[in-house]
Amino acid sequence: MAARNGFLKPIVVAMGVLALAPAAQAQTRAETLRQLTGNNINTLDPSMPGATREAFGVSTSTYDRLVAFDRKLENGVWVFDRTKIRGELAESYQVSADGLTITFKLRDAKWHDGSPVTADDVKWSLDRAVSAKSLSAGQLGTGSLTKPEQFKVVDAKTFEVSLPKPDRLALANLATPLAPIINSKLAKKHATAEDAWAQEWMKTNTAGSGAYVIESFKPGEQIILRRNENWTGGREGRLPYFKRIIEQTIPEAATRANLIEKGDADIAIDLQAGDLPALQSRGKVKVDSTPQSNGFTMIAFNTRMPPFDNIKVRQAVAAALPYEAMFSAAIFKRGLPMFGASWSEVPNGTFPQPMPVKTDLEKAKRLLAEAGHGNGLKTTFTINVGSAAITEPMAVLMKEALAKVGIDMEIQKLPDAQMSTAVAEKKLAFFTEGSSAWLPTTDYFFRTFFSGEQRWNYSSWNNSTIADLTTQARYELDPEKYEEMSKRMIEEYLKELPLIMLWQANQDAVMTPKLDGYTYWFHRQVDFRDLARR
Amino acid sequence: MRSARAIIIRVGERLLSSLPALLGVLVVTFVLMRVLPGDPAVFFASGPNAGQAEIDNLRQRMGLDQPLFVQLMHYLRDVGTGNLGNSLTTGQPVLTDLRQRLPASLELTFTAFTLAVIIAIPLGIAAAMRPNSLIDHGVRFVCTLGVCVPTFVSGLILIFVFYYILGVAPDPTGRLDIFVSAPPSVTSFMLVDFLIAGDLEGWMAAAKQLILPSATMALFVIAPLARITRASMLGVLSSDFVRTARAVGLSSVKINIVYALRNAMLPVLTIAGIMFSTMLGANVLVEKVFSWPGVGSYALDALLSSDYAPVQGFVLLMACIFVIINLVIDVLYGIADPRISVA
Amino acid sequence: MSVITLKHVRWVVASNPLTLVAASGAIIIALIGVLAPWITPQDPLATDVANAMQPPTTAHWFGTDQLGRDIFSRVVAATRIDLAIALSAVSLSFVLGAVIGGVCGYVGGRLDRVVGRVVDVLMAFPLFVLAMAMVAALGNRVENVILATAFINLPFYIRFARAEVNVRRDSGWVEAARAGGENDLSIILFFLLPNILPAMAVQVSLNLGWAILNAAGLSFIGLGVQAPTAEWGIMVAEGARFITSGKWWLVAFPGAALMLSVLFFNLLGDALRDILDPRMRT
């Protein structure tokens, strides 16, 4: 019927895949890393609207950024350290005393095509990030990086960023996957009149200097990367261990688990929490678990919709939830609880941190009565299909518990796209979601999740104190004053309880026992450059 | 000669008359997708930092800011010029995706279908030869058992037993072991391409990969195929011309195989055709379970994320295949019909 | 017209022992479905997280699930909802299909052609995807699962009824009724439809099993009945996730219930066909 010409041509971006004989490939199995994921990699350009998390992950290896976060060992597992920023494509950087100028010295690096990396490329890349219609502009804006005029080429190897105000997150933003440095000469060749920033071409091609080169890319199926032998951006300038990387999409979590346990694949970070105890007890895999320190799972109230516009109703629900049961049945206690703290005065400015909420049915009943719902009330709680393995058990337990205080809760499960739409349009009264912040400072959290007319303000919370505090804290360079402001934001949150933080679920990286160096990154993806086989 | 011309005319008529149905499918799918309460722009713009600007931008780029009727007209015009739109899930044009993935689905369905036919038809015949015997009941029971298990369960169990516990099946991750290099693509069917390349080892690897998913799918169609074969055989065996043939003294083997079987195959052919197109559309879950890079799992992902274009493209493709298969059956029917060839 | 005698039924049962098994099995399942609220030993919805994922014991014959609910009680309770889904979906498409198809087959002409076209359109759809899209569009509820299941089945019933009525439209006894002054509506309702009913009944029985499987498939991709309702499909889909962990009882028992009921309905449909279609006798 249609099986004639060029039917199944994979998008071979770089040549070389056909040159490898089967025997040569078999030899390199030990030097090949095979990662399994349930999701798709849908673009090679991380800034494409709609780019998946896996696409961000891949881009960290194909592109370099000016700077990178460092990492530290915590309970035997590497985690990112946002307080230490090192040069990546930059050899060094210097922040001026007033915090308004950052100067970067570039290292002698080469693009994948062999030509040298220059400050002109850096300028073009950052201009693109703030000008093109993409995800980058929104991200870099959180660090006061908004206009091309802020980026200046000093000489071929020196580059300068100037800021209108000393933004705490300006430098950190340049370490995120949305600030990739692009080979501007190559990209410009593929720019067109309608597409001045070559966005179309970069979806399926890379123009980077990163540790890996794309060998083949089949969106929705797999991507194969080959090591860039000229890479110099690593810690201590070392090349990554693996010569070849395969990342494959395997929708069934159980299948992913089977493959790792059999040793046919090396690592997966999205297995089901429920499978982990069995995997660990059989002892054929190594599991590196870290709470997602920059993420959270929460229950949101729509603070503008009855009955949750009443603070007492929100507090009543918070007192009625069966936290312990939810924690153990839904995620098998694999995470860090954000409930059950016992302080009365905010101990520090870290957020999220465990909050003093706990199950107290009498208190819940009393609060409901005070709110005028002594005879009970009806509500609908929404979860999405994609997270149902965790949120459905959670919702069932909530339904049972809330019934005890007279709240009749119906569970509604929506396909992911419908849920996102309903959340963005603020149509849901009561629901659960999880999210994370790339740059987890307290003011960033409050700015993103607790203010403004935008999708991530889950509870549509509008609080002038928070609005004031976040705008001030953002430019506050004195750590003590910043800490004080953070505490006040948390106090305000606790007073109004726009949503209930439940826990930080673990990122459980399951791997073959010989794999080493796995690091938990803020983008919650495997960074291939960290890994090695012992 | 005369019959060949008749066939061509028939094909032409059938193709022409199927156009309204295809248009109907197109419009219905289009409207159905828009009725879904999900907004793809919101979903796909939901990056860690996408705001309303990103959403509006994406919506505009997708043409979702236009009135529904205008969108439909644009879509029909695009389809007319062979453009099925872009997938947000894979970031590719839908046509490219479907082209890459259809051979995978077809190869799987063909294999499963062949497997089912090879098993079902002899079973059906055996049952018909000795109706109401132990064989007959046994065949009926075993076949029916196959239809009773949801495909996603039988698939997962097969993987668990044959891959995880016994370790005889290759890892269930698509069409080819990731460490085996693919043959140069000629037909896009792995099994054929490996043969063309003369790579028997590769052929074995691809065939192994096909066994579990195709068995899962075949389980589901063996029962109806065997059942219709049996019924049809029984009908023919009790018909006048077989009785006449017996009376004339033709050997029973000749009667059974040459006359009866040939005539009994006509209704089987019809059912088989319908079954093939149903299988192609229904292997969604099998593809999902076996990470098979086919069109079914593609449509499923797209549907759950309200990604319009791939679902519309998939449904259109399936409808076209449905039309073509019906046509092929029609033609085969003409060839196999004894009134044309025997008389 | 075939006349079904008790003797014939007895002959079919005697010649096919499976029929008896299937019939009694189907009756038992139907009984469990009807009596479910009274015979579940424990509340199928009551959770007990402290005793989650327990293998079968004397207290919990089929073990407990992720939330510590009694799987035996849930399997029993689910019988009711699953039968309800299957029966209502199939009868809905059966009634609608018979009436639409009957009228088309009898009247013929333009109406027949238009309906024929619409049916063509529906048949050309990949049906499972259509069902998914319908449930996704209408919302994740039992009613919508029933509607979607009925809808994707409708074209087959319309075609079937149409063809059967069409064949009989000009037969002697219909002519006789017409001559006797019956109007078209009553001819369709009281003469033709009852006449094709037996043939369609076979279809119904075979369809019941399919409808249960269809609902299970929808549950697997998250588009089925809402939690915390006990339904075989959801239980199997959830349990299947724990196969790797070795928690077999989560999937085995609801899976077996689902499998047995589909098996019985299919075998029963087969037997019904034999009973109603004496041509199959040899």
Side-chain angles (χ1 to χ4, degrees), chain A residues 105-279:
Chain A
K105 268 266 174 256
L106 301 184
R107 71 172 82 238
D108 284 320
K110 294 258 189 319
W111 297 112
H112 289 162
D113 65 10
S115 57
V117 176
T118 67
D120 287 322
D121 293 312
V122 178
K123 166 140 180 77
W124 189 84
S125 307
L126 294 183
D127 284 357
R128 180 185 192 264
V130 298
S131 316
K133 287 192 168 163
S134 75
L135 295 178
S136 293
Q139 176 65 44
L140 297 198
T142 66
S144 299
L145 302 164
T146 53
K147 293 193 297 279
E149 293 77 59
Q150 293 173 265
F151 308 122
K152 200 173 98 193
V153 176
V154 178
D155 62 48
K157 292 284 168 204
T158 316
F159 181 74
E160 201 178 275
V161 172
S162 50
L163 299 165
K165 276 182 164 182
D167 197 305
R168 297 167 56 88
L169 292 179
L171 188 62
N173 256 296
L174 295 175
T176 67
L178 287 176
I181 304 303
I182 301 159
N183 181 344
S184 66
K185 279 177 270 345
L186 180 58
K188 274 191 227 161
K189 273 188 214 153
H190 300 275
T192 60
E194 308 88 67
D195 181 15
W197 300 104
Q199 286 176 295
E200 205 46 48
W201 180 77
M202 280 182 57
K203 274 192 209 168
T204 49
N205 296 274
T206 49
S209 58
Y212 287 92
V213 184
I214 311 280
E215 191 170 287
S216 85
F217 172 42
K218 290 189 206 166
E221 279 181 57
Q222 68 191 48
I223 191 163
I224 302 180
L225 308 177
R226 183 163 39 80
R227 190 168 72 186
N228 169 15
E229 302 296 331
N230 300 320
W231 189 59
T232 51
R235 278 181 292 270
E236 295 111 46
R238 268 203 315 265
L239 276 179
Y241 173 88
F242 285 104
K243 289 190 173 158
R244 204 156 170 256
I245 308 282
I246 299 172
E247 187 171 353
Q248 251 184 314
T249 299
I250 308 291
E252 271 304 312
T255 307
R256 296 198 288 276
N258 286 345
L259 259 85
I260 309 255
E261 205 172 10
K262 297 274 281 181
D264 287 335
D266 298 307
I267 186 167
I269 56 168
D270 49 359
L271 299 186
Q272 302 167 98
D275 277 340
L276 283 155
L279 282 171

Side-chain angles (χ1 to χ4, degrees), chain B residues 96-310:
Chain B
T96 316
D97 278 337
L98 289 178
R99 268 194 190 163
Q100 283 182 19
R101 288 165 170 268
L102 182 63
S105 289
L106 281 178
E107 189 168 37
L108 174 61
T109 312
F110 269 129
T111 317
F113 185 71
T114 315
L115 200 67
V117 167
I118 290 174
I119 296 171
I121 290 189
L123 284 181
I125 294 172
M129 289 299 171
R130 305 255 181 287
N132 295 323
S133 65
L134 210 59
I135 297 179
D136 187 15
H137 298 318
V139 165
R140 179 181 298 195
F141 187 74
V142 170
C143 290
T144 313
L145 267 185
V147 204
C148 295
V149 193
T151 43
F152 61 90
V153 176
S154 41
L156 285 173
I157 292 177
L158 285 178
I159 292 176
F160 187 62
V161 172
F162 289 100
Y163 169 67
Y164 183 74
I165 296 188
L166 299 178
V168 287
D171 57 33
T173 57
R175 302 179 77 187
L176 196 57
D177 187 304
I178 191 90
F179 296 106
V180 173
S181 40
S185 178
V186 183
T187 62
S188 304
F189 291 97
M190 288 279 173
L191 291 183
V192 180
D193 284 353
F194 270 122
L195 281 187
I196 293 175
D199 179 357
L200 283 182
E201 215 171 301
W203 191 89
M204 278 304 291
K208 273 189 191 160
Q209 217 71 33
L210 269 164
I211 292 175
L212 288 188
S214 57
T216 310
M217 273 175 87
L219 273 183
F220 236 73
V221 280
I222 289 177
L225 271 181
R227 193 183 284 149
I228 190 77
T229 309
R230 173 185 180 272
S232 174
M233 257 325 248
L234 276 181
V236 172
L237 285 175
S238 62
S239 69
D240 291 343
F241 82 92
V242 172
R243 286 189 194 157
T244 317
R246 280 217 183 92
V248 177
L250 291 176
S251 77
S252 75
V253 172
K254 193 165 182 194
I255 295 172
N256 287 341
I257 302 304
V258 179
Y259 294 99
L261 191 56
R262 181 171 182 184
N263 282 286
M265 279 305 108
L266 284 178
V268 177
L269 196 65
T270 318
I271 296 287
I274 295 174
M275 224 149 257
F276 185 82
S277 43
T278 337
M279 276 167 90
L280 202 55
N283 59 11
V284 177
L285 294 180
V286 178
E287 286 183 4
K288 192 93 193 144
V289 167
F290 286 93
S291 320
W292 201 257
V295 286
S297 53
Y298 175 66
L300 184 95
D301 287 344
L303 185 64
L304 288 181
S305 46
S306 291
D307 192 357
Y308 299 153

Side-chain angles (χ1 to χ4, degrees), chain A residues 317-332:
Chain A
V317 172
L321 292 184
Y323 297 99
E324 291 292 346
M326 285 159 73
F327 188 55
S328 80
I331 63 165
F332 301 86

Side-chain angles (χ1 to χ4, degrees), chain A residues 329 397, chain C residues 42-54 60 63-71 74:
Chain A
L397 289 170
Chain C
Q42 287 162 47
D43 180 355
L45 301 183
T47 64
D48 175 13
V49 174
N51 285 312
M53 304 264 215
Q54 296 296 314
H60 300 285
T64 62
D65 69 3
Q66 192 178 354
L67 294 174
R69 294 174 295 195
D70 180 45
I71 294 182
R74 286 180 72 72

Side-chain angles (χ1 to χ4, degrees), chain A residues 258 272 275 282 400 413 418, chain C residues 47 66 136 140 241 244-245:
Chain A
N258 286 345
Q272 302 167 98
D275 277 340
R282 288 197 289 258
E400 209 182 20
K413 183 162 62 176
Q418 293 182 25
Chain C
T47 64
Q66 192 178 354
N140 243 357
R241 292 203 296 254
T244 326
S245 305

Side-chain angles (χ1 to χ4, degrees), chain C residues 167-181:
Chain C
V167 172
R168 292 168 171 79
R169 186 172 61 175
D170 299 319
S171 62
W173 47 274
V174 175
E175 292 291 345
R178 217 173 274 143

